[in-house]
Amino acid sequence: MMLQDERTVHELRSPEEVLSGADMNGAWATRHSFARTMLRRAAAHRWTVAKTRLDLDELGRGTAVYTVNAEGFELNFIAFCQVLEESDRTDRVIAKSWDITAALVDGELTPEREADLRRNVPFQEQGRTDPETIIMTRANRSARFFDYVSDCLSTGTQPDVDKIGPSPYLIRSTAFYGNGKFGLKELANIPAGHPLSVPYRSQMLAAWLLRELSMELVEHVAGAKALAAGTVAVPLDAAWAKYFGLGNATGLGMVPFLVNHPGYLDAWCRLREVPLMAGLAASYAPGHPDLVRIVDLFERADRHLAEKSDLKTVPFLSTDLIRPQLHQLRSELQAYMASSQESAPVLARLHAMAAALSPEVRGIFASIVVELQTDFDQEAEALLTVPGSPPFNPAMGCRELRELLQQNYGWARSYDFATPERSSYYWYSSADSEEPRRAQRARLAAGTVEHCTDIARRINALATDLAGLPAEASVAELLLAHPCHRFAVERIQQTRCYQYGELRDNLLDAEFLPLSTQRFQLATYGMNNFSPQSTDWVRVTLFSGAPRVADILNGTDDDDWLFPLAPEGGNA
């Protein structure tokens, strides 16, 4: 995507800052994350969601259907529910059964269509759908929370915040397939005027409806338990209904996606950086109401972090260490608000202060600043429509190729690949787990196909051979002599139009932390409660604090759910 003007280029943070693993360690969701923008669009255009069927037995087995009218387009979300033995539940891609399998379909749900979905959707990757099915997904009940919450509701009580803990969800999703996989509708075939034509909006809608189903399901099971026990069940109260999100766990498979899609990486970075820089450029008088709003968000963020003190965060900074840093920023802002200055770019000063403290507190402050940018939605949607890569140009001269390499890939030249630690890992597709994986290079078996995640190594190898060719030689001549460099040359050409098209990391390095890239991606989706379980996978929550269907229908969604708080009575 071409940058709009040179002024914008100079105002945005540098790629070295934005694309470093350290900075990505501090990524937080913003008002322009995909979950927030989807619900804001739904509320603004008064989408309607009707529970057209909830045909479940006392254990919650059966079928649920939600019909969505989104700006004149009919969508149907159908879920097939069962109850697995706990020993049969796994969140791995290689699972064969799930408690819930579901699909989001475009258009009317006819009996014939439902029958076809019923034959295929429960089998997920093994099934196939018609081309008007947009999303296929699945989820499992939480062993810790689902039965506990249904037991509470069946006896007329609400859950205990301390027992739910810092990650509030009833079910855990494990995949949201779309864009042509398994016969699903391709994004390119959704017309421009369709509300789901924006990338990832379909996935977010399916996830939101899956979260809605989780609460309908737990209330239904609670009602059946109450009937059997002779008690009176109650629904989740409004505070709990908003607090519960959708659980998720994500591993290494996400990392190669950004390596393989530099245009998306650039767009997702600009989705964060453009509104941030607009906010930091503004000058404020001490009495400006925006500053009062920022203080309020500081205080909410502090309460949110206090409630997450038991969350496992290593290697990210713990909430107990972030909170004092946040207090420093708040005190600095309050001192400015009490001063007699005329007007100053105080947010830019605070942002620099936050960046010097930690990536985590910088990320929180950046999300607070972006929260004030309420006029960016149209530009955000435009950013997410990423054009295809430019065609490969074998006629490019080696002089121009050298200049582009030095300009955009100088960072890669800092790695010395003669040192074994710089190539400790290799990336591959596991036949057993059916996912991208990384392993120690010392265990690399002969014939293993290695993924092209080794950008820095390939660029360095190209630079060495490129130095031996005359400047007037063409790329075609270079590749005739060194055909192994085709990928690196094409990569340099492909990313030349992007400011943020390449991670500033060596994915083969012994010190590379996949969690950094995963956190950036998940925050862009809108997830929170990052809880790493190893260096390679992390648990998160989506839509915690978000409005439910009734809030959208009643027009009561105020789009104010940054840093969601637990219902009263928690352990903050």
Side-chain angles (χ1 to χ4, degrees):
M1 181 175 297
M2 294 298 293
L3 301 174
Q4 293 177 356
D5 55 61
E6 289 301 314
R7 180 184 59 80
T8 303
V9 175
H10 295 307
E11 287 178 352
L12 297 180
R13 291 193 303 152
S14 71
E16 286 67 33
E17 292 174 282
V18 174
L19 295 163
S20 70
D23 194 76
M24 288 182 171
N25 280 345
W28 290 73
T30 76
R31 71 174 280 107
H32 302 301
S33 295
F34 302 155
R36 290 278 301 277
T37 56
M38 186 279 291
L39 283 180
R40 200 156 53 244
R41 173 73 176 251
H45 292 266
R46 304 304 298 268
W47 294 8
T48 63
V49 181
K51 182 176 62 180
T52 50
R53 194 189 321 168
L54 196 66
D55 183 13
L56 305 172
D57 68 10
E58 71 279 2
L59 297 179
R61 298 173 298 193
T63 305
V65 178
Y66 295 87
T67 301
V68 182
N69 186 307
E71 302 163 45
F73 293 91
E74 179 181 335
L75 304 160
N76 280 278
F77 181 79
I78 183 168
F80 307 108
C81 306
Q82 61 177 335
V83 183
L84 297 178
E85 294 294 332
E86 182 55 33
S87 59
D88 293 333
R89 290 192 182 113
T90 175
D91 293 339
R92 300 285 300 279
V93 170
I94 57 175
K96 301 300 181 185
S97 297
W98 304 266
D99 287 317
I100 302 169
T101 54
L104 177 68
V105 301
D106 198 356
E108 182 184 359
L109 184 64
T110 63
E112 296 77 17
R113 193 174 191 187
E114 179 176 333
D116 185 62
L117 292 167
R118 193 178 296 276
R119 285 191 298 268
N120 286 278
V121 171
F123 297 98
Q124 294 288 292
E125 293 94 335
Q126 304 306 314
R128 293 296 180 267
T129 68
D130 67 74
E132 295 307 306
T133 301
I134 304 175
I135 298 294
M136 190 163 61
T137 185
R138 69 281 188 103
N140 286 321
R141 297 184 183 190
S142 166
R144 290 179 294 165
F145 303 143
F146 189 93
D147 288 340
Y148 165 69
V149 172
S150 64
D151 286 342
C152 289
L153 298 180
S154 72
T155 58
T157 61
Q158 297 296 318
D160 186 305
V161 172
D162 292 333
K163 289 188 177 180
I164 295 298
S167 298
Y169 60 85
L170 297 168
I171 64 175
R172 301 181 310 276
S173 59
T174 63
F176 290 94
Y177 293 123
N179 199 21
K181 293 194 77 169
F182 315 122
L184 294 161
K185 189 166 191 169
E186 293 189 26
L187 181 63
N189 292 333
I190 300 178
H194 197 289
L196 300 186
S197 62
V198 177
Y200 286 92
R201 185 156 290 163
S202 299
Q203 285 89 339
M204 292 300 112
L205 175 58
W208 183 58
L209 294 173
L210 196 56
R211 177 233 192 187
E212 182 74 13
L213 173 62
S214 74
M215 287 182 270
E216 298 264 19
L217 193 61
V218 81
E219 290 172 347
H220 175 87
V221 171
K225 288 180 177 180
L227 184 63
T231 57
V232 178
V234 294
L236 287 164
D237 69 23
W240 272 112
K242 290 195 73 171
Y243 189 54
F244 274 123
L246 182 68
N248 190 270
T250 299
L252 289 172
M254 294 184 68
V255 178
F257 176 85
L258 282 188
V259 175
N260 295 331
H261 296 84
Y264 278 105
L265 176 59
D266 178 73
W268 294 3
C269 288
R270 290 175 60 77
L271 193 69
R272 307 171 75 84
E273 298 302 316
V274 172
L276 171 63
M277 288 301 108
L280 298 183
S283 290
Y284 288 99
H288 197 284
D290 278 0
L291 302 186
V292 177
R293 168 72 168 148
I294 290 174
V295 170
D296 289 343
L297 289 171
F298 272 141
E299 293 173 353
R300 189 195 301 177
D302 184 51
R303 287 180 58 196
H304 172 83
L305 291 170
E307 293 174 0
K308 307 301 178 184
S309 60
D310 293 336
L311 195 69
K312 178 182 177 182
T313 59
V314 176
F316 304 137
L317 202 62
S318 73
T319 59
D320 291 340
L321 293 176
I322 299 172
R323 290 181 67 201
Q325 298 177 356
L326 205 61
H327 297 166
Q328 291 183 51
L329 296 182
R330 182 179 61 192
S331 296
E332 187 76 13
L333 177 58
Q334 288 173 327
Y336 175 77
M337 293 169 68
S339 73
S340 57
Q341 293 191 43
E342 291 292 327
S343 185
V346 61
L347 301 189
R349 179 162 57 84
L350 289 173
H351 183 262
M353 179 179 173
L357 291 170
S358 71
E360 285 84 354
V361 80
R362 190 213 68 80
I364 290 174
F365 184 65
S367 290
I368 289 174
V369 172
V370 171
E371 192 70 14
L372 305 180
Q373 307 305 305
T374 60
D375 59 350
F376 188 67
D377 283 4
Q378 188 172 357
E379 187 172 354
E381 286 199 7
L383 274 174
L384 295 178
T385 303
V386 178
S389 302
F392 176 62
N393 179 16
M396 174 183 281
C398 285
R399 175 184 287 107
E400 185 179 3
L401 184 65
R402 283 197 196 102
E403 291 171 352
L404 287 173
L405 189 155
Q406 188 56 42
Q407 175 184 323
N408 297 328
Y409 287 88
W411 59 272
R413 304 288 285 140
S414 66
Y415 293 104
D416 179 8
F417 286 96
T419 305
E421 288 77 12
R422 303 292 78 80
S423 298
S424 290
Y425 288 99
Y426 72 96
W427 292 70
Y428 67 104
S429 290
S430 168
D432 293 332
S433 65
E434 301 179 2
E435 291 181 299
R437 287 285 184 264
R438 67 172 184 164
Q440 291 287 339
R441 187 167 297 278
R443 302 173 187 169
L444 179 62
T448 301
V449 177
E450 188 173 352
H451 284 186
C452 294
T453 54
D454 55 336
I455 304 298
R457 185 174 65 168
R458 288 171 180 268
I459 293 296
N460 276 358
L462 168 64
T464 299
D465 288 335
L466 187 59
L469 288 175
E472 61 272 14
S474 69
V475 160
E477 292 173 288
L478 164 69
L479 295 181
L480 282 172
H482 305 283
C484 61
H485 296 317
R486 167 64 187 255
F487 177 87
V489 172
E490 190 164 8
R491 184 70 172 202
I492 291 172
Q493 293 184 355
Q494 180 185 22
T495 59
R496 67 184 301 181
C497 296
Y498 302 129
Q499 185 176 6
Y500 300 119
E502 200 77 81
L503 297 171
R504 294 307 197 258
D505 254 320
N506 170 27
L507 274 66
L508 311 184
D509 204 286
E511 298 180 0
F512 174 69
L513 184 65
L515 290 171
S516 303
T517 307
Q518 292 166 8
R519 176 159 182 163
F520 167 82
Q521 292 171 279
L522 295 168
T524 303
Y525 296 162
M527 297 185 181
N528 54 20
N529 300 330
F530 300 99
S531 183
Q533 305 300 300
S534 75
T535 60
D536 293 357
W537 71 282
V538 59
R539 288 177 175 156
V540 288
T541 314
L542 181 63
F543 287 117
S544 177
R548 287 188 67 179
V549 163
D551 299 316
I552 297 295
L553 296 180
N554 298 335
T556 55
D557 170 39
D558 56 5
D559 189 37
D560 186 19
W561 46 288
L562 185 66
F563 312 125
L565 301 177
E568 292 296 327
N571 58 358

